[in-house]
Amino acid sequence: MKEISIIGSTGSIGVNTLRVVEAHPKKLRVAALAARRNAELLFRQAKKFRPHLVCLFEEGQAIWLEKRLRPFGIQVTTGEAGLLAASTVTRAEKIVFAMAGSLGLRPILAALKAGKTVAVANKEPLVMAGELLIREAEQSGGELIPIDSEHSGLWQCLEGKAKDTIKKLILTSSGGPFFGRKVDLRKVTPRQALHHPRWKMGPKITIDSATLMNKGLEVIEATNLFQVSVDQIEVVIHPEAVVHALIEFVDGSQLAQLGITDMRLPIQYALSYPSRFVNSIPSLNLTAVREFHFFKPDFKRFPCLGLGYEAKRCGGTMPAVLNAANEVAVQKFLAGSVRFSEIPKIVERAMTLHHPIQNPTLNQILETDAWAREEAEVND
Ligand code: MG
């Protein structure tokens, strides 16, 4: 029996993680749950899975939640201290981080410091502070493992392979809702952009998929997780989203990871690793898919992908600027205050104004993050 904690349990990844736990009651147990503000769902999850502790990040309904969970003997915490407590609960061996945005950074560092295995689904912390997190994991004996489907694919392909046999890593992208369609990107509405053809996900990542910023962030995420240079990472558009990732060896041979588009697969692998659990998730039926397509990404129409590469080439604090400016730009687009086509422009402007600090400390990263948010906020 493994105990796990889920930071971000009421979002799409959190809910799927609990479905995996539910499917394996003899193997997995929940030690702690944390959510940003959905008190009602957090209450129902806590009542069902009986963690020792829950955290409701926003204090608003914490008293209501505490009253309702008291009869079950479940401790309720709130704010950043609560997130840190949920991320470092002694009994939990693995912590799943699935809270959108950069809020997860300090809790992930704390979990690594406590020697936990940290399964990261939200890529932002790995983008803004990847090198710092890897260093922390090396020092503390903690471990960082991916849940992001492409990175889970790479991880599964890379397992047991000597580093000097690897030439490049290939990430696939479904292309998002506007791939191959004659859509004027200046006129795209949030509703259109929120309609992803393959994956059902939260709003931030769905918009990122439509701009291809998601893939830009994933390029940086991969360089950090697998310690390779940005020039070793290639992106190909693959609308069927069946092949999640490939690796190419120095001799030109390639190895791919395939599976249906169901996040329970990479989540379950992160939880069962180094073993695998038998499950009832349907298998991929290759003869039903029949055709695979692969295309070169259009860097001109979707400049966010190129900005991802550029941020990593600049290094240091530049990925944090990319990430923060993008978060603000996406929020503004969803709120209807900027156009879809302005998202890359807001990000690029913040990057142009920034002088990256190499090998930044946590404080320098957080200061840069705050600066870039402000910059993106005033830039209309
Ligand atoms: Mg992904």
Side-chain angles (χ1 to χ4, degrees), residues 288-346:
V289 182
R290 290 186 56 211
E291 283 183 34
F292 284 174
H293 296 87
F294 296 95
F295 302 91
K296 273 190 179 166
D298 185 343
F299 284 83
K300 250 192 159 148
R301 190 160 181 242
F302 300 100
C304 285
L305 178 57
L307 290 174
Y309 275 94
E310 201 187 317
K312 181 65 196 194
R313 284 197 189 101
C314 296
T317 44
M318 196 57 98
V321 172
L322 171 93
N323 175 62
N326 179 59
E327 268 190 51
V328 172
V330 169
Q331 278 159 17
K332 285 175 125 182
F333 168 66
L334 287 172
S337 63
V338 302
R339 289 170 196 265
F340 184 80
S341 51
E342 279 170 287
I343 296 174
K345 290 178 188 155
I346 293 174

Side-chain angles (χ1 to χ4, degrees), residues 75-284:
Q75 190 191 343
V76 176
T77 61
T78 144
E80 187 159 22
L83 272 189
L84 292 174
S87 311
T88 52
V89 167
T90 321
R91 339 171 51 125
E93 178 183 329
K94 285 187 180 174
I95 319 287
V96 173
F97 278 92
M99 201 169 253
S102 48
L103 192 61
L105 185 51
R106 281 185 197 276
I108 291 175
L109 266 174
L112 287 173
K113 269 201 176 89
K116 310 282 189 197
T117 296
V118 175
V120 192
N122 55 322
K123 55 196 60 123
E124 290 86 353
L126 273 169
V127 168
M128 58 192 288
E131 289 157 26
L132 195 76
L133 293 177
I134 295 288
R135 235 181 294 139
E136 187 57 57
E138 276 165 3
Q139 283 166 10
S140 63
E143 195 180 1
L144 265 176
I145 61 176
I147 283 185
D148 206 346
S149 57
E150 297 81 356
H151 302 76
S152 177
L154 287 175
W155 183 41
Q156 293 176 58
C157 289
L158 287 166
E159 227 180 318
K161 313 293 184 299
K163 209 177 165 195
D164 60 1
T165 62
I166 308 301
K167 186 159 131 200
K168 63 180 175 187
L169 310 183
I170 304 166
L171 295 166
T172 64
S173 159
S174 70
F178 307 123
F179 171 75
R181 288 177 52 202
K182 282 202 177 75
V183 176
D184 184 347
L185 295 182
R186 288 167 304 177
K187 291 184 183 150
V188 159
T189 63
R191 221 184 118 137
Q192 290 172 302
L194 283 170
H195 186 76
H196 195 276
R198 297 283 164 196
W199 295 95
K200 238 186 98 45
M201 308 173 289
K204 160 74 169 48
I205 183 170
T206 306
I207 301 301
D208 284 347
S209 298
T211 60
L212 290 200
M213 180 57 93
N214 185 51
K215 217 45 59 176
L217 297 172
E218 287 184 357
V219 167
I220 302 173
E221 185 186 3
T223 61
N224 290 332
L225 275 170
F226 305 113
Q227 301 285 288
V228 294
S229 93
V230 68
D231 299 310
Q232 279 175 285
I233 313 241
E234 190 181 318
V235 171
V236 293
I237 306 293
H238 168 47
E240 290 82 9
V242 166
V243 179
H244 302 307
L246 307 92
I247 63 173
E248 184 172 317
F249 295 98
V250 286
D251 61 2
S253 173
Q254 296 189 343
L255 195 62
Q257 189 267 334
L258 288 71
I260 62 164
T261 49
D262 187 323
M263 281 311 289
R264 286 177 299 169
L265 284 175
I267 292 169
Q268 182 184 304
Y269 185 62
L271 297 180
S272 70
Y273 160 81
S275 172
R276 286 187 188 260
F277 298 161
V278 175
N279 64 23
S280 55
I281 299 172
S283 305
L284 170 66

Side-chain angles (χ1 to χ4, degrees), residues 3-6 29-33 49-54 86 89 91-93:
E3 293 209 28
I4 65 156
S5 295
I6 307 169
R29 212 196 109 71
V30 177
L33 293 174
F49 291 94
R50 301 298 172 92
H52 311 284
L53 179 146
V54 302
V89 167
R91 339 171 51 125
E93 178 183 329

